Amino acid sequence: MSISVIDANKRYGDFAALDNVSIDIPEGSLTSLLGPSGSGKSTLLRAIAGLDTLDSGTVIISGNDVSRASPQKRDIGFVFQHYAAFKHLNVRDNIAFGLKIRKRSKAEINAKVDELLDVVGLTVFQKRFPAQLSGGQRQRMALARALAVDPQVLLLDEPFGALDAKVREDLRKWLRRLHDEVHVTTVLVTHDQQEALDVSDRIAVLNKGRIEQVGTPGDLYDR
Ligand code: ADP
Ligand code: ADP
């Protein structure tokens, strides 16, 4: 599902966190919001999610104006930097959680969870508890859990930010593979240019609350 943000403004006191931002995010793309700390990336992501209200502007998801809709009504999966897993549930049950509260059938839940465990490479760890996983494995579990309920949109706010460089690189490959299999419209917030270049179809470069450039990695950077 495509996302459009039109003329978004958000101020904190005198400070413009978003200064008339407009962006179109194509259906099925993996788009990165790239910029330094404080450039407005999280604010834009939270506005798409409905976690923050804009001072003015419009958010459209698959043709519907959701500017006033609650996060629950927007059908979005989230993964944040510090992912809160259920400590008392094993990997399998963490991934299944959203399906269970939606009262899906056992057969459907099992099929979906098996598929996602495979895609994120956690089949052999499915009985482990979050504390028994590495940071990278935990974030892969987080991706699988967010995707389990087939959201229209997946929003990732520095999902690999707390991890070391080697693990981040590994996770980029997982994210890219996951996206190639699932094709859900994905928006990734990152301050890491290499990460944006490696995983994205499109990159929007933010600075001081404005979008400075949008394009494919090849459009924006000589490689
Ligand atoms: P980024 O994600 O690019 O690091 P943010 O969108 O988190 O940037 O923040 C943009 C600017 O808005 C920053 O200067 C930040 O300090 C400010 N800001 C964000 N949230 C708040 C808030 N709740 N109250 C005051 N200022 C905020
Ligand atoms: P990020 O690493 O995603 O940019 P921050 O650490 O800047 O996030 O902000 C974390 C939370 O604190 C967010 O919910 C943001 O809205 C809020 N926040 C950021 N800057 C400020 C600020 N200057 N005053 C109050 N809240 C802020």
Side-chain angles (χ1 to χ4, degrees):
M1 303 293 158
S2 63
I3 303 168
S4 296
V5 177
I6 305 161
D7 295 336
N9 286 284
K10 178 75 179 179
R11 305 187 73 86
Y12 294 106
D14 286 342
F15 183 83
L18 294 178
D19 185 2
N20 235 34
V21 166
S22 297
I23 184 172
D24 286 317
I25 296 169
E27 171 162 7
S29 69
L30 199 170
T31 297
S32 287
L33 306 179
L34 172 68
S37 180
S39 57
K41 308 181 296 293
S42 293
T43 303
L44 180 55
L45 199 76
R46 293 170 62 82
I48 293 170
L51 296 170
D52 273 340
T53 51
L54 292 167
D55 298 336
S56 62
T58 307
V59 178
I60 294 175
I61 298 180
S62 62
N64 298 312
D65 184 343
V66 297
S67 308
R68 275 169 199 77
S70 66
Q72 291 76 18
K73 295 246 164 71
R74 298 190 188 193
D75 197 6
I76 278 168
F78 295 103
V79 179
F80 296 106
Q81 179 168 349
H82 299 287
Y83 175 69
F86 295 113
K87 282 191 284 196
H88 60 289
L89 297 181
N90 66 27
V91 170
R92 183 173 192 93
D93 292 339
N94 261 287
I95 296 172
F97 185 82
L99 294 166
K100 283 187 180 155
I101 59 174
R102 284 170 179 75
K103 304 253 191 284
R104 303 288 170 76
S105 73
K106 260 202 173 125
E108 187 189 343
I109 294 174
N110 282 334
K112 187 80 200 176
V113 174
D114 282 340
E115 178 197 332
L116 284 166
L117 281 166
D118 183 41
V119 180
V120 299
L122 290 176
T123 303
V124 298
F125 300 121
Q126 61 180 293
K127 298 286 186 216
R128 289 202 185 177
F129 289 86
Q132 300 168 308
L133 299 176
S134 70
Q137 289 166 344
R138 263 206 292 277
Q139 290 307 77
R140 274 148 54 195
M141 180 180 79
L143 288 170
R145 194 171 91 174
L147 286 168
V149 296
D150 292 321
Q152 303 189 56
V153 171
L154 181 64
L155 300 180
L156 309 174
D157 194 349
E158 298 271 6
F160 314 142
L163 303 165
D164 68 37
K166 177 75 190 72
V167 178
R168 291 176 69 107
E169 211 182 302
D170 190 38
L171 282 171
R172 284 176 208 158
K173 294 189 191 124
W174 282 105
L175 176 60
R176 192 62 234 179
R177 188 191 299 179
L178 192 65
H179 188 261
D180 289 343
E181 295 215 9
V182 186
H183 291 300
V184 59
T185 307
T186 301
V187 186
L188 169 74
V189 162
T190 182
H191 64 270
D192 181 338
Q193 181 179 307
Q194 195 59 49
E195 185 163 293
L197 286 170
D198 283 353
V199 304
S200 316
D201 307 312
R202 298 181 12 115
I203 300 174
V205 182
L206 275 84
N207 194 20
K208 297 181 178 161
R210 290 170 165 269
I211 293 185
E212 292 195 321
Q213 314 181 65
V214 183
T216 65
D219 291 339
L220 296 183
Y221 300 99
D222 250 343
R223 291 223 268 175

